[in-house]
Amino acid sequence: MKRIALGVQYDGTAFNGYQKQPDRNTVQDRLEIALEKFARIELATTCAGRTDTGVHALEQVVHFDTELSRSMQSWVRGVNAFLPDSIAVRWATDVPEHPGQEFHARFAAFARTYHYVLYNNPIRSPLLVGRAGWVFRPLDVDLMRAAAQCLVGTHDFSAFRSSQCQAKSPVKQMHAVNIERHGEVIVFTLRASAFLHHMVRNLIGSLIYVGQGRHTPAWLRDVLEGRDRNDAAPTFMPDGLYLAKIDYDPKWGLPHEAARPLPWF
C-alpha cells in the first residue's frame, strides 16, 4: 500500500467549499470522482485544511492510499483529464514512511499560510468578482499594519472564531501578518500554526475597520483580549481568500510550488 500526496489548486467560486456534501458540488467530491475515473477504483482522500464556499487554494495538499502502481506524472495528467477547468492537480508524490511515522496531510502540517486579496477602489471591477474582495472607501495600510502587530504570537482567537467552529481550542500561534499594497490591490498574508473557522475573514473585516478609520489600531488588541466575537467586525466576503501553502517537515520531500493569487503583482 502506497501513500500518495497531491498538490491541488482550485478556484472555489462555483463550489460549496472543499469538504464532501450530499449534493456533491464540492472540491473533494469532484477530486474523488476524477480519481475513481482514472484509477477505476474508489479512493478516499484526506486534506490539509478544509476551505469554505467561495474560497480558493493555490496549493491544497491531500493524501490517499492505494495499491496501484502508476508514475507520479500519470497521476497528475490522468486525474486532471477528469477534472473541471476550475480544479487541477499540480503535482503528485509517493510519500514513504519514516520510522514510527506516517505522512498525514492534516496532522503532519505545522503551519498554514493564507492570502487575502482586496481591491480598494471606489468602483467595483467585474474582472475581479469572485477573485478579490472589494472595499470602495480608502484604506490606510499603515494603520492596518500597526493594528496587525498585536496578532503575532500565541493567543486565544475566540473573538474571531465562528460559532460553528469545531476546533478543540481557540488558542493558535500566529507566526506573521504582512500587508502589502500593489496599486489598487492590497494583499494580506497570514501564517499561523492553524486557523479557526472564519478566522481569516473575521480578522480581515476587523483590519478593514481600522484601515477605514472607524477604530484605532489599539481597538484590535482590545477585541483580541476581550475574546468576544460580538466585538469584532462581521465576517468579510470569501472572494479574495486563498489557501496559499501548507508547511511540512522537509523530510517528507513534498514538491511545493511558489504561487501568487493574482498574476500581476
Side-chain angles (χ1 to χ4, degrees):
M1 186 72 71
K2 299 177 182 178
R3 176 151 293 185
I4 306 295
L6 305 177
V8 183
Q9 190 172 96
Y10 52 85
D11 179 340
T13 304
F15 298 105
N16 297 328
Y18 181 84
Q19 189 177 24
K20 288 196 290 187
Q21 295 183 18
D23 63 10
R24 309 202 79 182
N25 185 37
T26 70
V27 177
Q28 185 179 16
D29 284 308
R30 297 300 179 88
L31 177 62
E32 291 187 358
I33 289 170
L35 280 165
E36 184 175 357
K37 288 181 177 179
F38 171 67
R40 297 187 178 182
I41 187 173
E42 186 173 338
L43 295 170
T45 64
T46 299
C47 74
R50 294 172 292 181
T51 53
D52 292 334
T53 299
V55 177
H56 318 297
L58 301 175
E59 188 175 70
Q60 171 74 270
V61 176
V62 307
H63 80 255
F64 62 90
D65 295 325
T66 181
E67 295 178 344
L68 296 175
S69 180
R70 301 281 191 278
S71 72
M72 294 302 107
Q73 193 62 21
S74 292
W75 283 110
V76 173
R77 294 186 180 278
V79 176
N80 282 341
F82 297 103
L83 284 170
D85 292 342
S86 51
I87 307 173
V89 175
R90 302 285 296 176
W91 52 260
T93 187
D94 183 354
V95 189
E97 285 190 35
H98 285 262
Q101 288 185 303
E102 188 174 48
F103 175 78
H104 191 284
R106 178 184 175 190
F107 297 125
F110 63 82
R112 283 92 171 158
T113 299
Y114 278 88
H115 294 313
Y116 194 96
V117 179
L118 185 66
Y119 182 56
N120 187 207
N121 185 283
I123 308 299
R124 64 179 176 83
S125 170
L127 301 179
L128 296 178
V129 173
R131 291 176 172 80
W134 173 50
V135 170
F136 63 87
R137 293 187 177 92
L139 292 173
D140 188 319
V141 170
D142 290 334
L143 286 178
M144 293 191 291
R145 286 173 178 157
Q149 291 178 10
C150 73
L151 302 174
V152 178
T154 301
H155 303 287
D156 182 327
F157 284 94
S158 292
F160 308 99
R161 179 182 191 176
S162 165
S163 61
Q164 301 175 358
C165 183
Q166 299 177 355
K168 294 181 179 179
S169 171
V171 177
K172 304 298 175 186
Q173 182 180 10
M174 184 74 75
H175 298 297
V177 181
N178 297 313
I179 306 172
E180 298 181 4
R181 181 182 280 278
H182 304 269
E184 298 172 327
V185 174
I186 299 172
V187 181
F188 301 79
T189 301
L190 298 87
R191 181 174 180 268
S193 57
F195 290 89
L196 303 168
H197 189 207
H198 285 174
M199 178 174 159
V200 178
R201 291 165 58 192
N202 293 336
L203 286 170
I204 296 301
S206 295
L207 287 167
I208 288 171
Y209 269 21
V210 174
Q212 291 174 338
R214 298 176 62 171
H215 294 289
T216 66
W219 167 80
L220 191 65
R221 181 181 294 277
D222 292 340
V223 172
L224 175 67
E225 294 176 351
R227 304 178 185 177
D228 188 338
R229 177 69 190 95
N230 294 317
D231 293 337
T235 304
F236 201 62
M237 63 180 70
D239 305 47
L241 185 56
Y242 296 78
L243 174 59
K245 184 182 179 185
I246 313 293
D247 288 324
Y248 298 98
D249 191 308
K251 70 182 180 183
W252 299 116
L254 301 189
H256 287 297
E257 291 188 322
R260 292 181 177 272
L262 294 175
W264 52 84
F265 68 84

